[in-house]
Amino acid sequence: MVIARAALLVIVACSSKQPPKVDDASRPPIAADGALADAAPAPKVSGVGEVQIRIEWKTVPTAMRASPGRTACNTPRPAAVAPTTTWGIPDVVVFVDGTPDTKPETRVVLADCVLAPRIAAAATLVVESALDQPAKLVLTRRGDAAKPEALVEAKPRTIQLPIAGHAVRVALEPGGIYQLATATKDAELAWIVAAPAGITDGSGGLTLRDIPVGARAVTAWLPPRSGQPARIARGTVTVTANALVELTLEL
């Protein structure tokens, strides 16, 4: 009787032991219907990087580099382009797909019958006079940043600057390309782009930051000025996360 009870206790103890656990992470995923589910999709690539762009023009015509004459203030009119000794082209607008929001404001000053800067990108334009006599400027929307090569004529807006230091602020339509001109026979021009863009510096280069990763279209646009036509170049750059990529375009 004692032996029978001991054997029964052994059987109950063995049957109460739990099977060895299996790490859930090693098991294949199970779908709702009980079948094996596909592996989880790879995470999407995300992040931002930097793009360094250089604009060159090795065969700039002489007419583009020469002054087209004198201003109404009897000062030399600036040439259409001022290339560096290494062919870099300043004052070129560069559009990169995915560039962050437009700069809030830019200021253009009229001095010695010349507008400076000659090119800018911003949502709002502030025009100021440094002359000691009244001046009049004309602002015209000429096209869209999506197609800078397709400029058209439009109804202009007159801006009066009665005294030195007087400034006028103008809100621009998003995505527009605007021409600001002096109201003189040989008008001096400045161009304002109301869209996300960068402007090449005195060496012909610029760096754009916080550009989303992936293949990005690049458009470089040299506006028409000083009696010379516009120039344009296009390319593509592949942005990688937390890295700097470089691209050189030839006008």
Side-chain angles (χ1 to χ4, degrees), residues 195-230:
I199 311 297
T200 57
D201 59 21
S203 67
L206 80 159
T207 300
L208 294 174
R209 296 175 172 83
D210 298 328
I211 306 299
V213 299
R216 300 292 166 187
V218 181
T219 301
W221 179 61
L222 176 69
R225 57 193 175 204
S226 300
Q228 299 298 318

Side-chain angles (χ1 to χ4, degrees), residues 42-47 213-214 239-241:
K44 293 183 179 179
V45 178
S46 61
V213 299
V239 181
T240 55

Side-chain angles (χ1 to χ4, degrees), residues 94-102 195-198 208-212 216-217:
V94 178
F95 304 94
V96 177
D97 179 32
T99 299
D101 292 341
T102 311
L208 294 174
R209 296 175 172 83
D210 298 328
I211 306 299
R216 300 292 166 187

